[in-house]
Amino acid sequence: MKNYGINIWGNDNFIIKDGLVCINHKSMPSLLEITKKVQLSGIQGPIILRFEHLIKKQIDTLYDAFAEAIKDNQYQGSFNAVFPLKVNQFPNVVRSIVKSGLEKGYGLEAGSKAELILAMSHTPLGYPITVNGFKDAKLIELGFIAAQSGHNITITIEGLGELETILQIAQTTNLKMPNIGIRVRLHSSGSGAWAKSGGMDAKFGLTSTEILEAMELLIKADCLHAFTMLHFHIGSQMSDISPLKKALREAGNIYAELKKMGAKHLKNINIGGGLAVQYSQHKNDFERNYSIREFSNDVVFLLRQISDAKSVTHPNIYTESGRFIAASHSVLITPVLELFAQDYQLKHLKYKEVNPPLIDELKDLYSQLTPKNAMEYLHDALDHIESLLTLFDLGYIDLQDRSNAEILAHNIIKKSLYISQDNPTQEIRLLQERLQEKYLINCSIFQSLPDYWGLSQEFPVMPIDHLNIKPILPASLWDITCDSDGEIGFNPTKPLYLHDVDLDHEDYYLAFFNIGAYQETLGMKHNLFEHPSECTVTITDDGFALDNIEDSISIMDILDDIGYNSKDLLLQLKTNLSQNDFNTEEEKNDTLQKLEVYMYQNGYLDTTN
Ligand SMILES: *Cc1c(COP(=O)(O)O)cnc(C)c1O
């Protein structure tokens, strides 16, 4: 896996050039030069780089795929889409999404009051807003306020109670009424880890009996005109297209039946989200069995077929795919802080005048290791190290001897790995797995890759330079939280190999890709590590520009955020310090100032000096 599967998960967004990962767009800058430039502005710790052109690419891909399918199938309905805010509500993302979707009429989807406020303030008037999730009267009233403001808003009801509330509010107010959508509870269920979103036992949606009842309520309240949309969502990261097809047939027939029953204004089918993203970087591990073209074609073809068969107009199609739109736009850059086995560098050897004979033998084994004798010498070395450790336990050799033995044994194994790298035996492989190198990375997995922690969701990861050198160290990645779950272990069936680097002399950065969906707001503040620093990167024809450089919030803000008064805390610490004697007034002032400066910086480790 020399290219870390970039051809599998990368969607041509990145390429490897001269050993560097580069952005495959316009001037093709490398992630390394972008990272260095961001760091120049004083940013420490992990960095989220956002690429707006990748958001635009996904939006355009989605719209173009449907435009083509509509043309090919002579479909009469239109295609529309909204971005579900829960996927990533960060301001720089939402702004980029709205901007990138302006030409297409791309809108926003909200699943809570706070998200609805965001949608109302960021969706251009006339562009669609859809509202899903459980609602109280206040949230529904916000929907009326949005409609009154001129928004094209559809409130999707998840149960009859919500419809009753809408109809009550409609009676007591003169505000404009929002459109009403009905979420259908399908008998066909979804796919993937999130399958509970669809199906008979789903958390959301109306059964067919309830839909009929809803029709009656709407007719009785003389509000049938407001009922414009049918909605379903079969779950996220849909790996297989067939559940969607089933859902489409079911929803399509419900649509046609309701039209025939007199739902004259019903004209939209909202197929929810679920388009999957390729996260695995290993071949034979594809996360979706369909292309975007197949997806759009199936949707359009099936809805046309059903509508034609039942002689109703083709519905306008709405989608709410979020993961597909947002995942690829951001890259998490994490500096590597330490390779744990660096302690075993040969430069740390300290031989004595007289060494135990086994140490001298290890020395010889190391220097005389060749491809031919590698296995034999390796076995001898392993034998010797066993004996040396036993001798240590029995008190025959001292700590310095033991340290020398460990360094030598480690280097013999490493050298035999290098020597046999093109043709490793099964034994070497097993040894390799046992002797993983631990890379300490400057980030929190809980904060930045919560789905790895919670769902074992993999994310593509690779070094951003050194790519012209073959990586041969099996790697496990450790984050800087004090939690043993903050680790991405080496998995022999999906191995990650990284480079042997000397961090005293060079930097080494790992990048995690496809992290733009869900990770940022699901992220946890374990150990009080906060959302990393971020920056929006615009690639131009002759370089790149950095905008919205935002440092991760300071320790002061972190403390305020969870309810402390950080100013009081700082004052208290300063008072404690001032009451003690210092050698000079200058030292005292310096120390006080340092304390203050550190509290106004973020909590990640500083590797910039
Ligand atoms: C979460 C959600 C989406 C987005 O799903 P993706 O898998 O990110 O595309 C769309 N619609 C509804 C109702 C949702 O709950």
Side-chain angles (χ1 to χ4, degrees):
M1 198 185 54
K2 214 166 171 180
N3 64 2
Y4 296 89
I6 209 168
N7 53 321
I8 298 169
W9 55 264
N11 197 20
D12 290 332
N13 296 337
F14 305 95
I15 57 162
I16 297 173
K17 223 173 44 175
D18 304 328
L20 299 165
V21 183
C22 298
I23 316 302
N24 191 14
H25 189 59
K26 294 188 175 169
S27 62
M28 298 193 171
S30 68
L31 283 175
L32 186 65
E33 59 187 304
I34 296 170
T35 301
K36 295 274 180 196
K37 190 148 175 210
V38 179
Q39 286 181 335
L40 277 183
S41 60
I43 297 287
Q44 344 158 349
I47 305 164
I48 290 179
L49 299 176
R50 302 194 192 283
F51 297 97
E52 192 173 281
H53 73 277
L54 294 181
I55 290 180
K56 178 129 188 5
K57 174 180 171 181
Q58 292 307 95
I59 295 175
D60 290 349
T61 302
L62 180 68
Y63 276 86
D64 290 351
F66 273 93
E68 249 178 81
I70 282 176
K71 197 164 140 239
D72 290 354
N73 289 282
Q74 294 164 327
Y75 192 78
Q76 264 120 46
S78 63
F79 174 73
N80 311 267
V82 289
F83 177 74
L85 283 165
K86 76 163 189 271
V87 175
N88 196 327
Q89 307 94 336
F90 275 75
N92 293 328
V93 181
V94 173
R95 283 185 210 122
S96 285
I97 281 172
V98 171
K99 185 172 140 203
S100 305
L102 267 184
E103 277 169 37
K104 310 279 190 192
Y106 196 39
L108 295 172
E109 184 263 2
S112 66
K113 289 178 197 170
E115 287 182 357
L116 180 52
I117 295 292
L118 271 186
M120 287 161 69
S121 49
H122 284 77
T123 314
L125 284 183
Y127 287 35
I129 296 178
T130 61
V131 187
N132 299 309
F134 295 107
K135 303 162 203 74
D136 62 3
K138 288 175 187 154
L139 199 158
I140 288 169
E141 263 185 84
L142 278 175
F144 277 77
I145 293 172
Q148 183 71 19
S149 313
H151 274 303
N152 168 13
I153 179 171
T154 306
I155 295 193
T156 302
I157 56 163
E158 311 277 358
L160 281 177
E162 290 179 4
L163 179 59
E164 283 160 4
T165 312
I166 295 179
L167 297 177
Q168 268 161 22
I169 293 173
Q171 271 175 4
T172 54
T173 172
N174 291 317
L175 296 182
K176 236 181 121 193
M177 192 160 176
N179 294 318
I180 295 172
I182 290 181
R183 181 157 178 173
V184 296
R185 182 173 304 204
L186 304 169
H187 72 72
S188 54
S189 68
S191 72
W194 292 264
K196 273 225 162 85
S197 295
M200 287 280 254
D201 54 351
K203 185 169 156 192
F204 303 104
L206 277 68
T207 62
S208 47
T209 316
E210 287 169 328
I211 293 173
L212 294 176
E213 227 175 296
M215 279 291 282
E216 272 174 35
L217 285 172
L218 283 161
I219 292 168
K220 217 158 76 195
D222 199 17
C223 285
L224 198 57
H225 59 90
F227 173 38
T228 56
M229 184 181 280
L230 273 191
H231 176 238
F232 67 86
H233 170 64
I234 62 172
S236 206
Q237 188 66 357
M238 184 174 73
S239 53
D240 177 10
I241 191 93
S242 53
L244 177 78
K245 289 193 187 172
K246 278 201 198 119
L248 277 165
R249 286 196 193 96
E250 196 179 339
N253 277 300
I254 295 173
Y255 161 83
E257 292 291 312
L258 291 175
K259 292 288 286 182
K260 292 193 154 173
M261 285 171 59
K264 265 212 309 256
H265 293 82
L266 174 60
K267 55 184 191 298
N268 307 317
I269 288 196
N270 178 346
I271 64 171
L275 264 176
V277 164
Q278 177 67 25
Y279 288 110
S280 174
Q281 53 195 138
H282 299 270
K283 58 176 188 287
N284 307 331
D285 202 6
F286 284 99
E287 271 150 308
R288 63 175 209 219
N289 72 351
Y290 53 92
S291 67
I292 174 78
R293 210 37 251 286
E294 181 183 348
F295 171 83
S296 59
N297 202 53
D298 282 350
V299 172
V300 172
F301 176 81
L302 283 171
L303 288 179
R304 187 202 148 121
Q305 199 184 38
I306 294 163
S307 307
D308 286 353
K310 295 216 163 166
S311 308
V312 294
T313 47
H314 301 167
N316 300 322
I317 297 163
Y318 281 69
T319 74
E320 299 178 332
S321 267
R323 186 187 296 277
F324 176 82
I325 298 295
S328 63
H329 94 278
S330 63
V331 178
L332 176 73
I333 306 282
T334 64
V336 173
L337 297 165
E338 204 179 316
L339 273 63
F340 282 51
Q342 291 261 309
D343 302 342
Y344 294 119
Q345 283 176 11
L346 288 171
K347 66 180 180 195
H348 296 303
L349 281 170
K350 287 202 184 76
Y351 293 125
K352 301 182 188 160
E353 299 243 318
V354 185
N355 298 297
L358 280 175
I359 296 271
D360 285 330
E361 284 191 34
L362 282 177
K363 250 164 88 175
D364 291 343
L365 286 175
Y366 178 73
S367 59
Q368 290 161 17
L369 200 73
T370 64
K372 263 210 182 112
N373 65 25
M375 284 323 291
E376 183 191 337
Y377 281 25
L378 186 63
H379 291 149
D380 290 348
L382 292 174
D383 241 21
H384 290 357
I385 189 77
E386 279 295 323
S387 311
L388 278 160
L389 289 174
T390 311
L391 288 174
F392 177 77
D393 290 346
L394 295 171
Y396 291 115
I397 66 168
D398 64 14
L399 198 55
Q400 186 61 60
D401 293 330
R402 174 174 167 177
S403 154
N404 290 340
E406 284 175 354
I407 294 173
L408 283 167
H410 206 92
N411 281 279
I412 290 167
I413 294 164
K414 206 147 127 184
K415 195 166 166 188
S416 30
L417 289 185
Y418 271 105
I419 285 179
S420 51
Q421 58 174 281
D422 291 326
N423 216 340
T425 60
Q426 177 66 5
E427 187 178 5
I428 291 265
R429 264 189 229 280
L430 289 173
L431 256 178
Q432 224 177 1
E433 282 160 25
R434 258 181 47 207
L435 290 173
Q436 300 152 26
E437 179 60 282
K438 301 181 180 74
Y439 289 76
L440 182 68
I441 51 176
N442 198 0
C443 78
S444 155
I445 289 171
F446 300 88
Q447 170 58 242
S448 292
L449 306 168
D451 277 345
Y452 178 79
W453 173 76
L455 298 165
S456 305
Q457 169 76 66
E458 294 166 49
F459 293 90
V461 57
M462 68 187 289
I464 62 176
D465 64 348
H466 290 72
L467 294 167
N468 40 16
I469 305 167
K470 182 165 176 183
I472 65 158
L473 298 183
S476 59
L477 310 179
W478 292 37
D479 76 4
I480 53 170
T481 65
C482 307
D483 191 314
S484 54
D485 279 345
E487 183 201 343
I488 299 180
F490 181 74
N491 177 351
T493 60
K494 299 173 174 183
L496 173 69
Y497 295 99
L498 294 176
H499 298 93
D500 189 13
V501 285
D502 182 355
L503 294 172
D504 291 337
H505 295 106
E506 56 189 329
D507 291 328
Y508 195 56
Y509 298 94
L510 297 185
F512 290 89
F513 296 85
N514 286 344
I515 56 145
Y518 296 103
Q519 305 317 298
E520 291 185 56
T521 40
L522 284 177
M524 291 158 269
K525 301 177 198 171
H526 201 15
N527 273 139
L528 298 184
F529 288 112
E530 264 285 353
H531 186 261
S533 306
E534 66 167 85
C535 155
T536 306
V537 190
T538 309
I539 317 290
T540 57
D541 285 328
D542 44 11
F544 60 91
L546 302 179
D547 295 297
N548 316 318
I549 301 181
E550 285 169 29
D551 203 346
S552 179
I553 66 170
S554 71
I555 293 172
M556 293 288 276
D557 290 338
I558 293 172
L559 296 175
D560 286 331
D561 199 38
I562 56 171
Y564 293 95
N565 185 329
S566 64
K567 296 235 161 57
D568 286 354
L569 292 185
L570 180 57
L571 191 66
Q572 182 197 334
L573 295 185
K574 282 178 151 183
T575 314
N576 291 351
L577 195 58
S578 311
Q579 281 162 357
N580 285 280
D581 290 336
F582 283 84
N583 269 342
T584 62
E585 197 60 16
E586 201 190 340
E587 188 172 23
K588 177 177 170 179
N589 289 337
D590 274 0
T591 313
L592 283 170
Q593 204 182 358
K594 230 181 222 168
L595 180 64
E596 176 147 0
V597 167
Y598 290 174
M599 283 188 62
Y600 277 99
Q601 289 181 347
N602 77 51
Y604 286 100
L605 303 188
D606 187 357
T607 52
T608 51
N609 41 10

